[in-house]
Amino acid sequence: MPQLSKLLLNRPDIGLKTYVVVPKDRVEELVESLVKRGLFEPLPPTEASEALAVIKKRLELSERGLMLYKEFNSLIKRGVDVEVRGLPWDTDEALEKLVKEFESVYEVVKSLVDEVRRYEGELERLQILKLVINDLLSKFRVFDRSLIDYVGDYLVFKTLYGGGRDFEDVLSKALKVVLMITVGEGRVVAVVVFERSVYDVLRNYLSRFEVVIPKSLEVVVPGEELVRIDEEIKNVRGCIEELEKRISEVLESKLYELALLKVLSETIQGEVELLRYAFNSKYMTLVVGWSLRSRSTELREYVSSFNGYVVYENDPNPPVEFNNYRVFRPFELFTEIIGYPAHYEWDPTPLLTYFYLIFFSLMFPDVGYSIGLIIGARLVLPYFVESRETLKKLVNIATYAGVVGIITGLLSRNFFGSLVGTYLSYIIPQVLPSLPARLADPEALGSTIITYIGMAMIIGYYSVLIAHGLGLIKNIVISKSTVGVVLELLIILIAVLGPA
């Protein structure tokens, strides 16, 4: 079926943005060989630099996207399944917007998380104080704030919390350790007594371990210390819960966007990950250009023979190349005049070829004149057309047109009109009307001309119907445009039924 479609409506060959990674000492040899074989067209240096800058930007963007995803995902406390049903057409633009959005959201969430951590530190300090007060009450039956935080002229009481060698070194400089409780994971809380002179030396260093006593304990009725601590703990926990609720609300409102951020980042990284090696390698280099999809396998195999590899990138608006059989290639000139088809459109060159030849054969049904056209094109056109490729196409068009003109000339028995055509009647039966001998019969001449004009109009009418029928199919299958479908249907109905 693909080969059969090339006889009617063909698909153009699509250009792929191509990155060739090859050893530096073989790059010139490889590129020259690829260009000669028509497998690769390198970009000019300026465009190549811009393309490489885009790749680097894509790598950086995808890395930022994944980093943001990990940061946000670590804050989600419950498992959530999110289905990403479809990716945007321009993944780079979509990812860039998402990264900017999540970077601004991250600043908000980060400030909330920092606030939560501050409260968690305060909660830990309060729980430690509660342990200390409980222990002091069990030992001394009474609690005095000066037992855990007091700075006098000769002695200093401080409550310290920490662990490790530095903390042990601090304890070794204390005059006395009043209380020591192991909290867990090598962490210890201790109430220690320092000489004032030693404390003054260690003051700045001790601030790392010192437990700050809340102001609410400065003035408290004896016996209500634990009640006051419990109230503080309850308030702090309430603040933490409120902040975590706000964080959760922000995250849950962005779950789909977060999943899309991950998918897009991984998609882009998967596309350009192989190029990262070329950017970081001392021995490999990267060449950027275009290649045709139809020859992608051939290109990959050839580059691999040079110990290199190829990475392809689908461009949202790629260049296209005609992909017709040789017999249709000269008539690509007509399609170029109309405009190259887009990568998602059909190439109308085969149909244009058929209609052109049919119309020409009806307007030029003479064997002699058709032979003259074929010969004249070869003799005259070289004086007016400089491009060898264009000249070849024009000569071929004239040749094909001359051939179909010879066929209709034989069927109408016209060979320089009736000059030689009269003798063809003895060989070929007349199928198409012919001009009267020496144009002597005006009535017969008019009838012949009207017949050919009528045939051309009938063929033109059906050509228009076929064109709009194909337009209808295109709007349904490719463009999926409701407006286009309705307009094409109206035109077809008017053409078939006539105006109301």
Side-chain angles (χ1 to χ4, degrees):
M1 283 300 292
Q3 298 302 317
L4 182 61
S5 69
K6 294 179 75 171
L7 296 173
L8 296 172
L9 286 171
N10 192 21
R11 288 280 192 178
D13 204 351
I14 297 174
L16 297 174
K17 182 72 73 65
T18 305
Y19 303 89
V20 178
V21 181
V22 65
K24 289 183 178 180
D25 57 346
R26 305 197 68 184
V27 60
E28 292 183 5
E29 177 190 358
L30 173 62
V31 172
E32 183 179 353
S33 180
L34 289 176
V35 172
K36 285 182 179 179
R37 292 169 179 264
L39 290 173
F40 182 70
E41 182 180 338
L43 291 178
T46 304
E47 292 183 27
S49 298
E50 291 174 355
L52 293 177
V54 169
I55 289 296
K56 289 181 179 179
K57 180 182 176 182
R58 295 184 77 200
L59 276 170
E60 292 171 0
L61 194 63
S62 61
E63 288 171 356
R64 283 163 58 196
L66 287 176
M67 181 190 70
L68 283 168
Y69 168 77
K70 291 175 182 176
E71 290 286 347
F72 279 92
N73 191 54
S74 65
L75 298 174
I76 298 175
K77 296 185 177 181
R78 59 185 181 87
V80 180
D81 293 326
V82 179
E83 180 182 0
V84 178
R85 296 184 178 178
L87 296 182
W89 174 255
D90 191 339
T91 54
D92 290 1
E93 182 181 353
L95 180 59
E96 188 171 3
K97 288 181 179 178
L98 282 173
V99 167
K100 287 181 180 178
E101 178 183 350
F102 273 97
E103 282 178 340
S104 61
V105 174
Y106 179 72
E107 292 301 319
V108 175
V109 173
K110 186 176 182 296
S111 64
L112 294 174
V113 170
D114 290 343
E115 194 72 8
V116 168
R117 287 173 180 166
R118 186 179 69 80
Y119 276 114
E120 286 175 342
E122 188 175 342
L123 179 63
E124 183 181 24
R125 185 195 69 203
L126 290 170
Q127 290 171 334
I128 288 169
L129 281 175
K130 185 176 180 180
L131 284 174
V132 171
I133 293 171
N134 266 325
D135 198 274
L136 289 173
L137 285 172
S138 66
K139 288 183 178 179
F140 304 110
R141 305 288 182 180
V142 67
F143 171 75
D144 190 296
R145 187 180 186 280
S146 60
L147 289 174
I148 58 175
D149 185 27
Y150 169 77
V151 178
D153 293 334
Y154 303 104
L155 296 177
V156 174
F157 286 75
K158 285 293 176 181
T159 303
L160 306 178
Y161 174 61
R165 185 170 298 175
D166 291 344
F167 189 72
E168 292 175 0
D169 186 52
V170 168
L171 294 181
S172 67
K173 293 179 171 57
L175 183 65
K176 181 176 178 61
V177 177
V178 178
L179 174 70
M180 182 181 291
I181 303 172
T182 301
V183 179
E185 298 181 1
R187 310 286 285 179
V188 173
V189 59
V191 177
V192 294
V193 182
F194 292 99
E195 292 181 0
R196 177 59 188 264
S197 58
V198 175
Y199 174 75
D200 289 339
V201 173
L202 298 175
R203 183 191 298 267
N204 292 331
Y205 189 67
L206 285 175
S207 61
R208 296 169 50 193
F209 307 106
E210 187 175 348
V211 177
V212 179
I213 309 303
K215 292 182 179 180
S216 58
L217 288 181
E218 290 180 359
V219 180
V220 61
V221 178
E224 292 187 2
E225 297 84 1
L226 292 178
V227 174
R228 187 65 59 85
I229 288 288
D230 286 336
E231 289 177 355
E232 289 282 341
I233 290 174
K234 182 179 179 181
N235 291 335
V236 171
R237 281 178 174 164
C239 292
I240 292 174
E241 289 174 1
E242 181 62 28
L243 288 170
E244 288 180 340
K245 182 181 177 181
R246 288 172 60 187
I247 293 172
S248 179
E249 288 174 352
V250 173
L251 294 177
E252 288 182 3
S253 68
K254 298 291 182 182
L255 285 178
Y256 182 82
E257 289 81 359
L258 186 61
L260 185 60
L261 177 71
K262 177 177 182 287
V263 172
L264 289 177
S265 299
E266 289 178 345
T267 299
I268 290 177
Q269 276 216 338
E271 291 174 355
V272 297
E273 183 65 28
L274 287 174
L275 301 179
R276 188 196 301 272
Y277 172 65
F279 284 126
N280 300 328
S281 174
K282 295 180 181 179
Y283 310 104
M284 305 294 283
T285 189
L286 186 62
V287 184
V288 190
W290 293 97
S291 64
L292 294 174
R293 177 177 290 175
S294 62
R295 305 189 70 182
S296 58
T297 303
E298 183 183 355
L299 174 62
R300 182 180 284 111
E301 291 175 352
Y302 191 76
V303 171
S304 66
S305 67
F306 281 75
N307 298 321
Y309 59 88
V310 179
V311 177
Y312 295 108
E313 177 187 341
N314 289 315
D315 194 275
N317 189 28
V320 297
E321 184 69 44
F322 291 116
N323 185 29
N324 294 300
Y325 288 129
R326 181 173 295 179
V327 69
F328 298 122
R329 289 175 188 170
F331 298 90
E332 291 170 354
L333 282 173
F334 300 141
T335 308
E336 290 177 11
I337 293 172
I338 300 171
Y340 272 85
H343 62 281
Y344 55 84
E345 294 180 326
W346 290 312
D347 177 6
T349 301
L351 285 180
L352 286 175
T353 302
Y354 300 140
F355 289 129
Y356 176 84
L357 293 178
I358 290 171
F359 278 110
F360 187 90
S361 66
L362 292 177
M363 297 296 102
F364 215 77
D366 191 287
V367 176
Y369 294 138
S370 296
I371 293 173
L373 175 66
I374 294 171
I375 296 172
R378 282 165 167 73
L379 296 178
V380 177
L381 282 178
Y383 292 101
F384 298 95
V385 182
E386 295 182 0
S387 170
R388 294 184 61 183
E389 183 180 354
T390 303
L391 175 63
K392 182 179 178 182
K393 288 184 176 181
L394 290 173
V395 169
N396 285 335
I397 290 173
T399 301
Y400 295 144
V403 170
V404 295
I406 290 173
I407 294 172
T408 53
L410 291 173
L411 295 177
S412 62
R413 296 190 303 192
N414 285 321
F415 197 130
F416 294 121
S418 59
L419 183 65
V420 181
T422 304
Y423 302 103
L424 293 177
S425 61
Y426 301 108
I427 305 171
I428 300 171
Q430 184 175 352
V431 178
L432 297 174
S434 60
L435 297 174
R438 299 181 182 179
L439 306 179
D441 187 348
E443 186 176 343
L445 176 62
S447 176
T448 300
I449 293 173
I450 290 172
T451 300
Y452 276 105
I453 291 175
M455 291 171 63
M457 290 181 68
I458 291 171
I459 294 172
Y461 171 75
Y462 284 106
S463 300
V464 171
L465 279 181
I466 291 171
H468 286 289
L470 293 173
L472 176 63
I473 295 171
K474 174 188 170 183
N475 279 291
I476 294 173
V477 177
I478 299 177
S479 303
K480 295 181 173 57
S481 170
T482 305
V483 175
V485 170
V486 172
L487 288 176
E488 294 292 354
L489 278 174
L490 288 174
I491 293 172
I492 292 171
L493 288 173
I494 292 172
V496 172
L497 302 177

